[in-house]
Amino acid sequence: MAVIASRVRFEERDLLDALDRRSVDGEFVDDRSLVYRVGEEGPRWRAVLNRSLAATRRLEISRWCEAVGVPVLNTSETVALCDNKIATAFALKRAGVAVPDTVISLATSSGARATEEIGYPAVVKPANGSWGRGVARVADGETAQTLFELRAQLPSAAQKLTCVQEFVPGRDLRVLVVGGIAIAAMVREAQGWVRNVARGSTVAALDLDDSLAELAESASAAVGGGVLGVDVLETDTGERFVLEVNSAVEFRGLTEAHPELAVADTIVDHVLRETS
Amino acid sequence: MVSCPECKGAVELREDILASEIVVCYACSSELEVIAVEPALLALAPEVEEDWGE
């Protein structure tokens, strides 16, 4: 089995060790080294765990694996849906999963109109991006105008696609879903309102109640399933919304919150079951 | 033991370390990438790129 990744971080090392514990050959492949001819057979891997850090490479890796008939987690469809917040929002809405009110703008010149539609405070997110990068909470129209003027200067065209959502105060939850089953949950806490673990937020274990599990599993199904991190916002009144679904889920934080849980082993067992 | 490229502190590596593996220097907290394994060589881990993430 191959673990294709950009760097061997905690998660990739844990996955390779889990394969080793099961006496399954685990090969690390650096995604920066890949060169392949279209139409040519691929390596004879039993499966690929696509752990690329780079969203653009991640999609191509899954697409290549599918073209050469190697089972891959996650599929290109799932990666494409998760790595674009606009696509995620449509997929979740279509599946009846609760999401915050969302308005899309396709150019920075119309961004402020989207924030006006949502009302203030509004959360402005680039359609692509992770770890809370480029996400801003905008308090008023003047600030929105300034933010979009600054974003207009960004060289990346993709960064000009914007998802604007209503700001919903509450707790930030993360649920790991493997093969359609919610495995465990945690709460992410930070001083500010952006609470990604990659930005240094602290984590605490959270009991996975039936309704949270069902919400996360519905979100997983909406994007095609696999191994996913579902981000959920829970309001003071207990209302829950799915914010995002992560297709290259990091689980260091979840492992800290649930030291009793062997996350990598659960993922590996799922892949082995699916490819037996 | 390998020398940290930032502070020259000693960084201990596991025996089966892989190229591209990320390690942390506990002397200076730098995030380091293993760029070669025989012999082991470390470099400062690259900055986050635009499309990196989960």
Side-chain angles (χ1 to χ4, degrees):
Chain A
M1 190 173 317
V3 175
I4 303 184
S6 316
R7 300 158 81 181
V8 180
R9 301 166 298 164
F10 169 86
E11 288 83 0
E12 289 73 36
R13 169 49 75 184
D14 216 15
L15 289 165
L16 289 165
D17 288 347
L19 288 167
D20 198 40
R21 282 193 287 278
R22 281 152 183 73
S23 304
V24 175
D25 276 343
E27 180 185 353
F28 163 65
V29 178
D30 189 326
D31 62 8
R32 295 165 291 188
S33 71
L34 290 173
V35 176
Y36 41 86
R37 187 183 296 275
V38 173
E40 207 167 66
E41 278 191 24
R44 294 178 176 276
W45 291 315
R46 173 172 174 173
V48 164
L49 284 164
N50 181 358
R51 301 282 319 167
S52 178
L53 254 180
T56 35
R57 290 201 290 269
R58 190 152 62 226
L59 179 59
E60 296 311 325
I61 290 163
S62 288
R63 194 175 271 154
W64 171 54
C65 290
E66 287 158 2
V68 297
V70 176
V72 60
L73 275 177
N74 289 311
T75 65
S76 61
E77 183 195 358
T78 296
V79 171
L81 287 174
C82 293
D83 285 349
N84 180 312
K85 292 182 179 68
I86 300 172
T88 311
F90 278 121
L92 293 173
K93 196 76 184 173
R94 196 163 45 237
V97 176
V99 291
D101 192 15
T102 304
V103 173
I104 309 301
S105 76
L106 301 182
T108 50
S109 55
S110 56
R113 252 179 53 219
T115 55
E116 288 295 326
E117 279 209 30
I118 286 291
Y120 299 100
V123 177
V124 177
K125 302 174 171 180
N128 307 92
S130 189
W131 298 334
R133 252 190 342 268
V135 175
R137 182 173 55 182
V138 176
D140 51 55
E142 195 180 323
T143 315
Q145 196 63 45
T146 308
L147 174 68
F148 286 110
E149 280 170 14
L150 284 168
R151 289 183 57 165
Q153 295 170 30
L154 293 175
S156 165
Q159 289 293 315
K160 288 166 183 139
L161 303 175
T162 304
C163 235
V164 181
Q165 291 183 322
E166 60 176 327
F167 174 69
V168 185
R171 292 203 299 173
D172 195 325
L173 317 181
R174 161 65 65 91
V175 184
L176 175 72
V177 182
V178 177
I181 309 291
I183 302 295
M186 65 177 182
V187 189
R188 300 185 292 184
E189 290 160 347
Q191 292 288 342
W193 67 280
V194 179
R195 291 166 285 210
N196 300 72
V197 171
R199 295 168 80 101
S201 68
T202 57
V203 296
L206 177 76
D207 283 340
L208 191 56
D209 61 64
D210 288 349
S211 116
L212 182 58
E214 196 180 315
L215 180 66
E217 288 168 4
S218 301
S220 161
V223 298
V227 177
L228 299 162
V230 180
D231 291 345
V232 175
L233 192 109
E234 181 186 68
T235 67
D236 292 345
T237 57
E239 217 178 344
R240 287 166 173 164
F241 300 94
V242 173
L243 297 178
E244 289 176 22
V245 186
N246 298 280
S247 73
V249 58
E250 292 162 2
F251 50 84
R252 187 175 197 144
L254 197 72
T255 304
E256 276 173 40
H258 290 278
E260 77 289 355
L261 195 69
V263 177
D265 296 77
T266 304
I267 294 171
V268 164
D269 286 342
H270 166 67
V271 179
L272 292 176
R273 262 196 316 275
E274 291 288 301
T275 56
S276 62
Chain B
M1 289 285 188
V2 189
S3 174
C4 169
E6 185 74 354
C7 73
K8 303 296 174 202
V11 180
E12 197 167 343
L13 302 177
R14 54 189 281 173
E15 266 181 29
D16 58 349
I17 197 83
L18 295 163
S20 305
E21 190 146 2
I22 297 300
V23 294
V24 171
C25 171
Y26 290 104
C28 69
S29 301
S30 293
E31 197 176 56
L32 307 169
E33 181 174 355
V34 179
I35 54 170
V37 287
E38 286 179 5
L41 191 61
L42 301 173
L44 283 173
E47 294 292 316
V48 171
E49 292 177 22
E50 179 194 332
D51 67 340
W52 280 17
E54 292 187 83

